[in-house]
Amino acid sequence: MTDNPVFDRIQKDINDNDVVLFMKGSSMFPQCGFSAAVVQVLAELGAPFKDINVLVDPAIRQGIKDFSNWPTIPQLYVKGEFVGGCDIVREMYASGELAQHLKDKGVAVAA
């Protein structure tokens, strides 16, 4: 626990879920193209993930940027580790690195 309740909420979601995507909108209804692209990548890999819609909570929307020291959303976490945003996720997917990373971390993927 920290003295920052927003960071505590973020850390709890990251700890409680193997794969977490902080995004604009939801996996069923992404509200930006970058978030939609990461959802599509995860869906193609068959990787289960928790989506967290930053648009419903301004504290989380800013808090995740401060937490990761990364200025943009979406942000992908795997087994507690920050992986990156949309461009990094797409590059890792294209090279096969993302599927391997998920497998290495014990996350079941279809691809």
Side-chain angles (χ1 to χ4, degrees), residues 1 8 18 23 31 33 37-38 40 43 46 61 74 83 86 89 97:
M1 298 290 281
D8 291 342
D18 289 345
M23 61 180 290
Q31 294 189 353
V38 176
Q40 182 179 4
R61 185 176 186 171
V83 174
C86 182
V89 169
E97 186 181 352

Side-chain angles (χ1 to χ4, degrees), residues 4-17 20 22 52 54 59-68 75 77:
N4 184 329
V6 173
F7 280 17
D8 291 342
R9 284 175 49 206
I10 291 168
Q11 189 66 60
K12 181 174 180 359
D13 280 321
I14 291 169
N15 290 345
D16 290 352
N17 300 279
V20 181
F22 291 88
I52 297 177
V54 302
I60 295 293
R61 185 176 186 171
Q62 183 57 48
I64 191 61
K65 295 175 187 179
D66 297 336
F67 181 87
S68 63
Q75 294 186 16
Y77 287 80

Side-chain angles (χ1 to χ4, degrees), residues 17-21 23 27-28 35-51 76-79 83 89 93 96-111:
N17 300 279
D18 289 345
V19 182
V20 181
L21 179 62
M23 61 180 290
S27 60
M28 296 303 289
S35 292
V38 176
V39 167
Q40 182 179 4
V41 164
L42 293 171
E44 288 179 16
L45 289 173
F49 67 97
K50 174 162 176 80
D51 57 339
L76 180 65
Y77 287 80
V78 175
K79 293 281 188 159
V83 174
V89 169
Y93 173 69
E97 186 181 352
L98 183 59
Q100 189 60 52
H101 182 70
L102 289 164
K103 289 176 191 172
D104 290 349
K105 294 290 187 175
V107 176
V109 295

